[in-house]
Amino acid sequence: MNLVVVMISVSMGICAYNEEKNIGNLLDRLLSQKTEKIMIDEIIVVSSGSTDRTDEIVREYSKKDDRIKLITQPKREGKASAINEFLKVANGDVCVLESADTLPLDDTIEKLCLPFYDEKVGMTGG
């Protein structure tokens, strides 16, 4: 008997404000995640009023990988507003919020999403 494993489609959301020192490293980590049962289909950065090179760095990455998208808010509107902007455009089966000032381990996103194979699970956190 052959079992078909359906991959979970994941939308990554990053809320950023003046994260030029880390945003490139974070995007590198997300692009190099080790996954077997999930697919990171999109990485959406919502830059809320950034005045440093955050937007420029994200645009550079989006030219290299079309999964990366940038939403800019002209003025700083806060994290809740940025999350709402992300959720408006996210297309994945699962939405994951990643803080812009973190660097996840190689398998973090898969481990975070695996519980969603159980239909009773509605949310995870780490």
Side-chain angles (χ1 to χ4, degrees):
M1 178 159 108
N2 292 333
L3 292 176
V4 176
V5 176
V6 177
M7 298 280 276
I8 293 175
S9 167
V10 176
S11 294
M12 296 293 309
I14 303 167
C15 303
Y17 170 71
N18 288 349
E19 290 292 342
E20 72 180 0
K21 292 180 181 174
N22 194 59
I23 196 71
N25 293 327
L26 173 56
L27 292 172
D28 284 335
R29 289 279 182 99
L30 293 176
L31 292 171
S32 66
Q33 284 290 298
K34 292 181 169 84
T35 61
E36 294 178 13
K37 298 180 180 176
I38 68 150
M39 251 184 326
I40 298 175
D41 285 327
E42 57 188 354
I43 301 169
I44 301 166
V45 178
V46 181
S47 177
S48 188
S50 292
T51 57
D52 64 357
R53 293 186 58 245
T54 298
D55 297 358
E56 179 184 336
I57 293 166
V58 175
R59 282 188 194 101
E60 289 170 15
Y61 273 82
S62 70
K63 290 176 186 173
K64 298 180 218 172
D65 194 308
D66 63 0
R67 293 178 293 169
I68 299 173
K69 299 166 182 74
L70 174 65
I71 296 172
T72 56
Q73 295 179 309
K75 62 180 183 171
R76 192 169 184 192
E77 296 184 36
K79 191 167 188 172
S81 175
I83 291 170
N84 286 331
E85 291 300 314
F86 161 61
L87 293 174
K88 283 180 193 175
V89 299
N91 294 306
D93 300 322
V94 172
C95 293
V96 175
L97 289 171
E98 180 74 33
S99 295
D101 61 351
T102 62
L103 293 174
L105 298 176
D106 293 348
D107 59 351
T108 296
I109 306 307
E110 176 138 312
K111 285 182 176 178
L112 191 63
C113 293
L114 287 179
F116 289 104
Y117 277 102
D118 179 345
E119 62 186 35
K120 294 177 188 166
V121 172
M123 185 172 88
T124 66

